Amino acid sequence: MASVEIAAEHERILREIESTDTNCIGPTLRSVYDGQEHGLFMEKLDARIRNHDRDIERMCNHHFQGFVDSITELLKVRGEAQKLKSQVTETNQRLQNDGKEVSLNATELKKCRVQQRNIANTIDKLTHCLPVLEMYSRLQEQMSAKRYYPALCTLEQLEQTCLPRAGQYRFCSIMAENIPKLRTHIRDTAMSQLRDFLESIRKHSDKIGQTAVKQVHNHTGERGGGEDGDGAEWMVYNWSIVYLCWFGFSLQVSGAQELVDFSPVYRCLHIYTVLGLRDVFENYYRKQRRKQARLVLQPHSNMHETLEGYRRYFNQIVGFFVVEDHVLHTTRGLVNRAYVEELWELALSKIVAALRTHSSYCDDPNLVLDLKNLMVLFADTLQGYGFPVSQLFDMLLEMREQYGEILLKRWNITFRQVLDQDNYSPIPVSTEEEYRHYTSQFPMQDPELEKLPFPKKLPFSEFVPKVYCQLKEFIYACLKYSEDLHLSSTEVDDMIRKSTNLLLTRTLSNCLQYAIKKKNVGLAELVQVIINTTHLEQSCHFLEEFISNITNVPPDTVNATKLYGTSTFKDARHAAEAEIYTNLNTKIDQFLQLADYDWMASPPAGGTLSASDYLIDLIAFLNSTFSVFTNLPGKVAQTACMSACKHISTSLMELLLNPEVRQISIGALHQLNADVKECESFARAGPVAGFQGDTLLLAFSDLRQLLDLFTQWDWSTYLVDYGKPTCKYLRVNPHISLALLEKMKETSRKNNVFAQFRKTDRDRQKLIDTIIKQLRNLITQQQA
């Protein structure tokens, strides 16, 4: 069994050797030599080889004839092979000959391939370098054309993109070295252009402002008119503001841009932004504009002399802020709203201070009015750009006070001229046309006068219609200033009434006082002043209606200011009346200065004494004067007449008591008594209507009782009844009678003063001493 297994194993190994690749036969043979029966295997292997040899022999024997045939064929082919060999040799020779040229061409081709590779490399390098050169060329063109912002963008692209791709070339290094210089040049050039721009807008701010103001003026002029009343005014005002807000923004784009090229600002802003220096640029721009603002806000020293000076000042300011508003809306953050508002606050304070100073020099109301209109247009223009202008309108209200003062000065001159040129005579009118002319100037309503035929006279003189017309002109002047100040009708009405009150109570009143107090004014002129002021006083309610009509505020409004014209004309009339009394007394004094009494005259021998010549002339003068007083109010004429009579009585009394007259005779008292009787006769005649009974005689009652006491020597009655209500000589003052007795004391020694009385009373000195003693006792008792 063991030998069978070994034989089977050897058979398997042999089959494996036959079928296995010789490269892998090693492990198989190793398994044979590892066993103990390799001799047996060798025998087995030899037997297998012999079998295969026999198979090969049989196969060869089977195919031998074919092999012989093949050899025969092969021998036949040898000749052809020799022939083919010679052909191949010949072909090879030719090929070698031809190959030399191909070899040479191959070398050239190699060289061409190298050149081609070099060219390709060069093209590749040029592909990266050409954009650098093109971009640098474009940069040079942009720099030459002064297109600095695109040049800066090109420079940035060249530095960050193109140069790194191009590689390390000398020209690239040169370009890279020049880039900072170019940046600096662009920055400096942009800043230089910005400075030129700032200088340009400084020069053109006047024109820019003029354009803006003109456009606003044209628009507001077109929108003028509308309904009356507070509501309509407010509605028109609001619509104007809405329009101005839109209109202002449109002006930013058109008006300012047409006059000024803002591209240097945008270019410089972009350049500095790209350079990372935006903050530097913003600070520089704002600093320079602040400096320019201070220059713009500094007015010329002679600005107040002409309206053009104010207009140029306002236009420059408007132009400055139009530019700033344009920059605010067309740049992103170069200036902000807070910066512009800060500049405007600074400007407002400077403007108000400058206007307050320069307007104070102005004394021409027309210039102030034009300045006011200019300021309103200035304020409306800036308000359209969104700037608050309430302080400007407050300043306009301050200037209204100054305007009112200037008007008062101007009207003071006008009123004085009217009063100086007046003839102080009633106005004669000979035709209906003349009559209507004056009544159209002055609201006079006198039905009785209208019924009178022509020619006739108006009761007042020329200065009444002239003054009334000037009052209306003043009201119109005040109204002109109040226009366009965005005030309500009530505020306008109040302003006009207050100004008119100042005109009446201060200016016109002073002018009337001046006219009344002039040295050369006579009684007739004073009488006419009283008549004139009476008519002007009556016209005050027409002025009230006139103001109400132009302001649309009823005069009976609760808070409406009332005109003080009535009190003004009353005061003037009272002053004229007092001046009449004073002038009348002065004239009386002039007559009394002609009095030449003989204080030592003897008693009249008989008959009636005549009044003194000076007194007769005085009475004639009074009669003539009081005849002119017929047009005066009754109380004025009566007061003047009573005042004249009292003054005559007082003056005659003073003549008696004059310290320089040391002695008075009874004859002198009789002459004075005759003069007093003449005065009493004048009083009884009623030179002025309206006195009841003997009222006018009361002016001479003191003098009459005194003269009766002395001429009748009725001392017993006086001394007994003194102090009683029924006393005959109630108005005789004991002091006066005592003084007069003292003057008669010495005279009685030389003249038979008491010849008409009883012989027992003729002890003259003793009698006078007794009366004097009794009078002194009476005075002492009275004082006690």
Side-chain angles (χ1 to χ4, degrees), residues 26-57:
T28 303
L29 292 178
R30 187 180 292 110
S31 64
V32 173
Y33 283 100
D34 288 342
Q36 298 297 325
E37 292 84 10
H38 58 278
L40 184 62
F41 176 73
M42 291 300 296
E43 293 177 359
K44 194 77 172 177
L45 179 60
D46 290 337
R48 180 63 62 89
I49 292 171
R50 286 192 299 272
N51 288 334
H52 282 295
D53 287 339
R54 284 193 297 274
D55 289 337
I56 290 171
E57 185 178 356

mmCIF file of all heavy atoms in Angstrom, residues 26-57:
data_model
loop_
_atom_site.group_PDB
_atom_site.id
_atom_site.type_symbol
_atom_site.label_atom_id
_atom_site.label_comp_id
_atom_site.label_asym_id
_atom_site.label_seq_id
_atom_site.Cartn_x
_atom_site.Cartn_y
_atom_site.Cartn_z
ATOM 1 N N GLY A 26 10.480 24.832 -9.091
ATOM 2 C CA GLY A 26 11.383 24.665 -7.959
ATOM 3 C C GLY A 26 10.709 24.088 -6.753
ATOM 4 O O GLY A 26 11.206 23.100 -6.170
ATOM 5 N N PRO A 27 9.608 24.576 -6.304
ATOM 6 C CA PRO A 27 8.937 24.015 -5.114
ATOM 7 C C PRO A 27 8.539 22.569 -5.305
ATOM 8 O O PRO A 27 8.590 21.772 -4.386
ATOM 9 C CB PRO A 27 7.717 24.921 -4.950
ATOM 10 C CG PRO A 27 8.088 26.191 -5.593
ATOM 11 C CD PRO A 27 8.955 25.793 -6.747
ATOM 12 N N THR A 28 8.210 22.206 -6.578
ATOM 13 C CA THR A 28 7.783 20.823 -6.829
ATOM 14 C C THR A 28 8.960 19.884 -6.659
ATOM 15 O O THR A 28 8.857 18.828 -6.010
ATOM 16 C CB THR A 28 7.204 20.715 -8.242
ATOM 17 O OG1 THR A 28 6.130 21.642 -8.369
ATOM 18 C CG2 THR A 28 6.689 19.317 -8.530
ATOM 19 N N LEU A 29 10.096 20.272 -7.230
ATOM 20 C CA LEU A 29 11.289 19.406 -7.116
ATOM 21 C C LEU A 29 11.747 19.378 -5.679
ATOM 22 O O LEU A 29 12.260 18.348 -5.221
ATOM 23 C CB LEU A 29 12.398 19.971 -8.019
ATOM 24 C CG LEU A 29 12.136 19.883 -9.539
ATOM 25 C CD1 LEU A 29 13.278 20.515 -10.311
ATOM 26 C CD2 LEU A 29 11.978 18.411 -9.969
ATOM 27 N N ARG A 30 11.599 20.494 -4.970
ATOM 28 C CA ARG A 30 12.041 20.493 -3.577
ATOM 29 C C ARG A 30 11.235 19.464 -2.771
ATOM 30 O O ARG A 30 11.767 18.783 -1.882
ATOM 31 C CB ARG A 30 11.888 21.876 -2.966
ATOM 32 C CG ARG A 30 12.519 21.918 -1.562
ATOM 33 C CD ARG A 30 12.332 23.326 -0.995
ATOM 34 N NE ARG A 30 13.141 24.278 -1.751
ATOM 35 C CZ ARG A 30 12.654 25.188 -2.556
ATOM 36 N NH1 ARG A 30 11.353 25.357 -2.669
ATOM 37 N NH2 ARG A 30 13.466 25.967 -3.258
ATOM 38 N N SER A 31 9.964 19.264 -3.138
ATOM 39 C CA SER A 31 9.143 18.295 -2.396
ATOM 40 C C SER A 31 9.625 16.867 -2.651
ATOM 41 O O SER A 31 9.503 16.001 -1.792
ATOM 42 C CB SER A 31 7.662 18.471 -2.809
ATOM 43 O OG SER A 31 7.496 18.152 -4.181
ATOM 44 N N VAL A 32 10.280 16.652 -3.864
ATOM 45 C CA VAL A 32 10.794 15.303 -4.178
ATOM 46 C C VAL A 32 12.035 15.052 -3.347
ATOM 47 O O VAL A 32 12.184 13.987 -2.749
ATOM 48 C CB VAL A 32 11.101 15.211 -5.685
ATOM 49 C CG1 VAL A 32 11.800 13.874 -5.994
ATOM 50 C CG2 VAL A 32 9.832 15.343 -6.473
ATOM 51 N N TYR A 33 12.889 16.095 -3.317
ATOM 52 C CA TYR A 33 14.150 15.864 -2.603
ATOM 53 C C TYR A 33 13.951 15.886 -1.115
ATOM 54 O O TYR A 33 14.794 15.389 -0.371
ATOM 55 C CB TYR A 33 15.178 16.924 -3.032
ATOM 56 C CG TYR A 33 15.764 16.629 -4.414
ATOM 57 C CD1 TYR A 33 15.306 17.275 -5.536
ATOM 58 C CD2 TYR A 33 16.788 15.659 -4.560
ATOM 59 C CE1 TYR A 33 15.829 17.008 -6.789
ATOM 60 C CE2 TYR A 33 17.299 15.387 -5.819
ATOM 61 C CZ TYR A 33 16.838 16.074 -6.908
ATOM 62 O OH TYR A 33 17.355 15.804 -8.159
ATOM 63 N N ASP A 34 12.873 16.458 -0.659
ATOM 64 C CA ASP A 34 12.619 16.441 0.773
ATOM 65 C C ASP A 34 12.220 15.037 1.223
ATOM 66 O O ASP A 34 12.380 14.689 2.402
ATOM 67 C CB ASP A 34 11.518 17.468 1.118
ATOM 68 C CG ASP A 34 12.026 18.886 0.996
ATOM 69 O OD1 ASP A 34 13.250 19.095 0.994
ATOM 70 O OD2 ASP A 34 11.148 19.838 0.920
ATOM 71 N N GLY A 35 11.678 14.208 0.304
ATOM 72 C CA GLY A 35 11.286 12.838 0.666
ATOM 73 C C GLY A 35 12.484 11.873 0.602
ATOM 74 O O GLY A 35 13.592 12.228 0.227
ATOM 75 N N GLN A 36 12.231 10.608 0.814
ATOM 76 C CA GLN A 36 13.297 9.599 0.863
ATOM 77 C C GLN A 36 13.325 8.707 -0.394
ATOM 78 O O GLN A 36 14.179 7.846 -0.546
ATOM 79 C CB GLN A 36 13.089 8.710 2.115
ATOM 80 C CG GLN A 36 13.165 9.473 3.414
ATOM 81 C CD GLN A 36 14.521 10.109 3.663
ATOM 82 O OE1 GLN A 36 15.589 9.500 3.271
ATOM 83 N NE2 GLN A 36 14.500 11.264 4.305
ATOM 84 N N GLU A 37 12.390 8.960 -1.321
ATOM 85 C CA GLU A 37 12.285 8.072 -2.490
ATOM 86 C C GLU A 37 12.641 8.831 -3.744
ATOM 87 O O GLU A 37 12.042 8.680 -4.796
ATOM 88 C CB GLU A 37 10.836 7.534 -2.618
ATOM 89 C CG GLU A 37 10.467 6.595 -1.522
ATOM 90 C CD GLU A 37 9.995 7.333 -0.275
ATOM 91 O OE1 GLU A 37 9.789 8.572 -0.345
ATOM 92 O OE2 GLU A 37 9.828 6.687 0.775
ATOM 93 N N HIS A 38 13.679 9.629 -3.700
ATOM 94 C CA HIS A 38 14.000 10.392 -4.898
ATOM 95 C C HIS A 38 14.642 9.502 -5.974
ATOM 96 O O HIS A 38 14.548 9.783 -7.145
ATOM 97 C CB HIS A 38 14.947 11.564 -4.535
ATOM 98 C CG HIS A 38 16.198 11.145 -3.904
ATOM 99 N ND1 HIS A 38 16.325 10.854 -2.559
ATOM 100 C CD2 HIS A 38 17.442 10.877 -4.452
ATOM 101 C CE1 HIS A 38 17.547 10.482 -2.294
ATOM 102 N NE2 HIS A 38 18.276 10.498 -3.451
ATOM 103 N N GLY A 39 15.260 8.401 -5.534
ATOM 104 C CA GLY A 39 15.818 7.492 -6.515
ATOM 105 C C GLY A 39 14.700 6.871 -7.323
ATOM 106 O O GLY A 39 14.780 6.734 -8.546
ATOM 107 N N LEU A 40 13.708 6.484 -6.629
ATOM 108 C CA LEU A 40 12.552 5.896 -7.298
ATOM 109 C C LEU A 40 11.925 6.909 -8.233
ATOM 110 O O LEU A 40 11.495 6.556 -9.340
ATOM 111 C CB LEU A 40 11.539 5.415 -6.231
ATOM 112 C CG LEU A 40 10.306 4.692 -6.769
ATOM 113 C CD1 LEU A 40 10.718 3.359 -7.538
ATOM 114 C CD2 LEU A 40 9.367 4.300 -5.615
ATOM 115 N N PHE A 41 11.910 8.137 -7.802
ATOM 116 C CA PHE A 41 11.324 9.191 -8.640
ATOM 117 C C PHE A 41 12.161 9.404 -9.871
ATOM 118 O O PHE A 41 11.633 9.611 -10.957
ATOM 119 C CB PHE A 41 11.232 10.513 -7.814
ATOM 120 C CG PHE A 41 10.719 11.696 -8.628
ATOM 121 C CD1 PHE A 41 9.375 11.787 -8.995
ATOM 122 C CD2 PHE A 41 11.612 12.642 -9.082
ATOM 123 C CE1 PHE A 41 8.980 12.820 -9.745
ATOM 124 C CE2 PHE A 41 11.184 13.709 -9.831
ATOM 125 C CZ PHE A 41 9.830 13.830 -10.178
ATOM 126 N N MET A 42 13.479 9.320 -9.714
ATOM 127 C CA MET A 42 14.353 9.502 -10.861
ATOM 128 C C MET A 42 14.096 8.384 -11.873
ATOM 129 O O MET A 42 14.115 8.633 -13.077
ATOM 130 C CB MET A 42 15.806 9.511 -10.405
ATOM 131 C CG MET A 42 16.160 10.754 -9.577
ATOM 132 S SD MET A 42 15.914 12.270 -10.497
ATOM 133 C CE MET A 42 17.165 12.030 -11.800
ATOM 134 N N GLU A 43 13.896 7.245 -11.425
ATOM 135 C CA GLU A 43 13.576 6.154 -12.327
ATOM 136 C C GLU A 43 12.273 6.412 -13.045
ATOM 137 O O GLU A 43 12.132 6.209 -14.239
ATOM 138 C CB GLU A 43 13.491 4.818 -11.531
ATOM 139 C CG GLU A 43 14.822 4.360 -10.973
ATOM 140 C CD GLU A 43 14.691 3.092 -10.126
ATOM 141 O OE1 GLU A 43 13.509 2.605 -9.989
ATOM 142 O OE2 GLU A 43 15.727 2.605 -9.635
ATOM 143 N N LYS A 44 11.379 6.861 -12.288
ATOM 144 C CA LYS A 44 10.072 7.175 -12.856
ATOM 145 C C LYS A 44 10.192 8.305 -13.868
ATOM 146 O O LYS A 44 9.575 8.275 -14.918
ATOM 147 C CB LYS A 44 9.118 7.594 -11.714
ATOM 148 C CG LYS A 44 7.675 7.621 -12.110
ATOM 149 C CD LYS A 44 7.082 6.248 -12.188
ATOM 150 C CE LYS A 44 5.566 6.269 -12.399
ATOM 151 N NZ LYS A 44 4.963 4.988 -12.540
ATOM 152 N N LEU A 45 11.020 9.271 -13.564
ATOM 153 C CA LEU A 45 11.227 10.411 -14.467
ATOM 154 C C LEU A 45 11.917 9.967 -15.733
ATOM 155 O O LEU A 45 11.542 10.385 -16.839
ATOM 156 C CB LEU A 45 12.065 11.481 -13.756
ATOM 157 C CG LEU A 45 12.390 12.736 -14.557
ATOM 158 C CD1 LEU A 45 11.115 13.457 -14.975
ATOM 159 C CD2 LEU A 45 13.281 13.667 -13.721
ATOM 160 N N ASP A 46 12.913 9.079 -15.619
ATOM 161 C CA ASP A 46 13.613 8.581 -16.819
ATOM 162 C C ASP A 46 12.636 7.833 -17.712
ATOM 163 O O ASP A 46 12.682 7.943 -18.950
ATOM 164 C CB ASP A 46 14.777 7.676 -16.395
ATOM 165 C CG ASP A 46 15.907 8.468 -15.728
ATOM 166 O OD1 ASP A 46 15.966 9.733 -16.006
ATOM 167 O OD2 ASP A 46 16.704 7.888 -15.004
ATOM 168 N N ALA A 47 11.803 7.006 -17.150
ATOM 169 C CA ALA A 47 10.822 6.258 -17.922
ATOM 170 C C ALA A 47 9.901 7.207 -18.653
ATOM 171 O O ALA A 47 9.575 7.010 -19.818
ATOM 172 C CB ALA A 47 10.024 5.327 -16.997
ATOM 173 N N ARG A 48 9.552 8.345 -17.960
ATOM 174 C CA ARG A 48 8.654 9.297 -18.621
ATOM 175 C C ARG A 48 9.384 10.000 -19.756
ATOM 176 O O ARG A 48 8.803 10.235 -20.797
ATOM 177 C CB ARG A 48 8.146 10.316 -17.590
ATOM 178 C CG ARG A 48 7.214 11.353 -18.165
ATOM 179 C CD ARG A 48 5.948 10.683 -18.699
ATOM 180 N NE ARG A 48 5.188 9.989 -17.665
ATOM 181 C CZ ARG A 48 4.243 10.529 -16.916
ATOM 182 N NH1 ARG A 48 3.903 11.778 -17.102
ATOM 183 N NH2 ARG A 48 3.612 9.795 -16.023
ATOM 184 N N ILE A 49 10.627 10.249 -19.597
ATOM 185 C CA ILE A 49 11.394 10.929 -20.660
ATOM 186 C C ILE A 49 11.506 10.035 -21.852
ATOM 187 O O ILE A 49 11.377 10.476 -23.001
ATOM 188 C CB ILE A 49 12.777 11.349 -20.121
ATOM 189 C CG1 ILE A 49 12.613 12.467 -19.067
ATOM 190 C CG2 ILE A 49 13.679 11.835 -21.254
ATOM 191 C CD1 ILE A 49 13.914 12.792 -18.329
ATOM 192 N N ARG A 50 11.763 8.774 -21.637
ATOM 193 C CA ARG A 50 11.866 7.826 -22.751
ATOM 194 C C ARG A 50 10.550 7.751 -23.508
ATOM 195 O O ARG A 50 10.530 7.688 -24.736
ATOM 196 C CB ARG A 50 12.271 6.438 -22.223
ATOM 197 C CG ARG A 50 13.763 6.366 -21.818
ATOM 198 C CD ARG A 50 14.174 4.920 -21.587
ATOM 199 N NE ARG A 50 13.432 4.256 -20.530
ATOM 200 C CZ ARG A 50 13.760 4.273 -19.250
ATOM 201 N NH1 ARG A 50 14.900 4.846 -18.874
ATOM 202 N NH2 ARG A 50 13.014 3.605 -18.371
ATOM 203 N N ASN A 51 9.484 7.826 -22.789
ATOM 204 C CA ASN A 51 8.168 7.802 -23.470
ATOM 205 C C ASN A 51 8.005 9.044 -24.349
ATOM 206 O O ASN A 51 7.511 8.947 -25.467
ATOM 207 C CB ASN A 51 7.064 7.712 -22.437
ATOM 208 C CG ASN A 51 6.981 6.341 -21.773
ATOM 209 O OD1 ASN A 51 7.388 5.318 -22.379
ATOM 210 N ND2 ASN A 51 6.459 6.261 -20.575
ATOM 211 N N HIS A 52 8.415 10.153 -23.803
ATOM 212 C CA HIS A 52 8.276 11.390 -24.605
ATOM 213 C C HIS A 52 9.244 11.384 -25.789
ATOM 214 O O HIS A 52 8.891 11.903 -26.861
ATOM 215 C CB HIS A 52 8.545 12.605 -23.707
ATOM 216 C CG HIS A 52 7.356 12.960 -22.821
ATOM 217 N ND1 HIS A 52 6.171 13.395 -23.325
ATOM 218 C CD2 HIS A 52 7.200 12.929 -21.466
ATOM 219 C CE1 HIS A 52 5.348 13.595 -22.323
ATOM 220 N NE2 HIS A 52 5.982 13.312 -21.117
ATOM 221 N N ASP A 53 10.401 10.803 -25.604
ATOM 222 C CA ASP A 53 11.311 10.739 -26.743
ATOM 223 C C ASP A 53 10.726 9.891 -27.841
ATOM 224 O O ASP A 53 10.853 10.219 -29.039
ATOM 225 C CB ASP A 53 12.663 10.181 -26.281
ATOM 226 C CG ASP A 53 13.465 11.167 -25.449
ATOM 227 O OD1 ASP A 53 13.149 12.416 -25.588
ATOM 228 O OD2 ASP A 53 14.384 10.775 -24.741
ATOM 229 N N ARG A 54 10.140 8.775 -27.476
ATOM 230 C CA ARG A 54 9.513 7.917 -28.483
ATOM 231 C C ARG A 54 8.386 8.666 -29.194
ATOM 232 O O ARG A 54 8.258 8.590 -30.390
ATOM 233 C CB ARG A 54 8.965 6.625 -27.820
ATOM 234 C CG ARG A 54 10.086 5.608 -27.466
ATOM 235 C CD ARG A 54 9.480 4.285 -27.122
ATOM 236 N NE ARG A 54 8.619 4.275 -25.949
ATOM 237 C CZ ARG A 54 9.053 4.107 -24.709
ATOM 238 N NH1 ARG A 54 10.303 3.861 -24.479
ATOM 239 N NH2 ARG A 54 8.196 4.119 -23.707
ATOM 240 N N ASP A 55 7.641 9.477 -28.430
ATOM 241 C CA ASP A 55 6.546 10.245 -29.063
ATOM 242 C C ASP A 55 7.116 11.285 -30.022
ATOM 243 O O ASP A 55 6.581 11.492 -31.113
ATOM 244 C CB ASP A 55 5.721 10.941 -27.976
ATOM 245 C CG ASP A 55 4.893 9.929 -27.159
ATOM 246 O OD1 ASP A 55 4.625 8.844 -27.662
ATOM 247 O OD2 ASP A 55 4.451 10.343 -26.020
ATOM 248 N N ILE A 56 8.213 11.887 -29.622
ATOM 249 C CA ILE A 56 8.818 12.922 -30.475
ATOM 250 C C ILE A 56 9.363 12.274 -31.724
ATOM 251 O O ILE A 56 9.226 12.816 -32.822
ATOM 252 C CB ILE A 56 9.926 13.644 -29.712
ATOM 253 C CG1 ILE A 56 9.302 14.503 -28.589
ATOM 254 C CG2 ILE A 56 10.741 14.543 -30.634
ATOM 255 C CD1 ILE A 56 10.347 15.076 -27.640
ATOM 256 N N GLU A 57 9.975 11.096 -31.557
ATOM 257 C CA GLU A 57 10.529 10.400 -32.719
ATOM 258 C C GLU A 57 9.426 10.044 -33.667
ATOM 259 O O GLU A 57 9.564 10.192 -34.888
ATOM 260 C CB GLU A 57 11.316 9.174 -32.243
ATOM 261 C CG GLU A 57 12.017 8.475 -33.389
ATOM 262 C CD GLU A 57 12.851 7.269 -32.885
ATOM 263 O OE1 GLU A 57 12.905 7.072 -31.629
ATOM 264 O OE2 GLU A 57 13.426 6.568 -33.722
#
